[in-house]
Amino acid sequence: QVQLAVFGGGSVQPGGSLRLSCNASVYNYMQYCIAWFRQSSGQVREGVASIYFGDGTTYITNPVAGRFTISQDNAKKTLYLNMDNLKPEDSAMYYCALGSYLPYECGPAIQTPGVDFGVWGQGIQVTVSS
């Protein structure tokens, strides 16, 4: 069974930083696209960042580019979302998700409405406020 265990989150003031972790129990984790999504109350879910574990290909969406980075630790089978210079509009429930996509599909997948990610982890709250 595939499981995504999520850690991190919390509350920070604007300009602060947080790191989210997603541990993937999938056997062939190197062959999957794993992504972060977020959803605020009353808003549609949006993609944040993605990584293809096999070659480290990453994609960051425009709203968080320059502030968020995504990275991997192969030994721990874990991906990280490093969030710097957080803004109130970054407040949302964040989700880790896994999809069966190739490296060249991994970035476009998170910016394509309706694209399927088959496995979802537990949502984790990020709150940025004064």
Side-chain angles (χ1 to χ4, degrees), residues 26-102:
V26 60
Y27 177 73
N28 294 318
Y29 70 96
M30 297 289 284
Q31 300 178 22
Y32 287 92
C33 174
I34 308 181
W36 289 100
F37 293 84
R38 66 184 182 184
Q39 186 170 21
S40 301
S41 297
Q43 305 295 318
V44 298
R45 186 174 62 213
E46 64 175 347
V48 178
S50 64
I51 187 168
Y52 187 80
F53 262 68
D55 62 5
T57 301
T58 63
Y59 182 83
I60 309 294
T61 57
N62 288 334
V64 302
R67 299 186 298 114
F68 292 11
T69 59
I70 188 169
S71 60
Q72 67 187 83
D73 185 328
N74 291 342
K76 297 180 179 179
K77 299 172 62 176
T78 298
L79 70 88
Y80 302 97
L81 182 66
N82 301 292
M83 303 180 291
D84 294 322
N85 192 24
L86 284 160
K87 302 177 180 180
E89 52 263 43
D90 295 319
S91 297
M93 188 73 72
Y94 284 71
Y95 299 88
C96 179
L98 180 148
S100 298
Y101 300 111
L102 298 174

Side-chain angles (χ1 to χ4, degrees), residues 15-28:
S17 299
L18 287 172
R19 186 178 77 168
L20 306 183
S21 302
C22 179
N23 176 262
S25 65
V26 60
Y27 177 73
N28 294 318

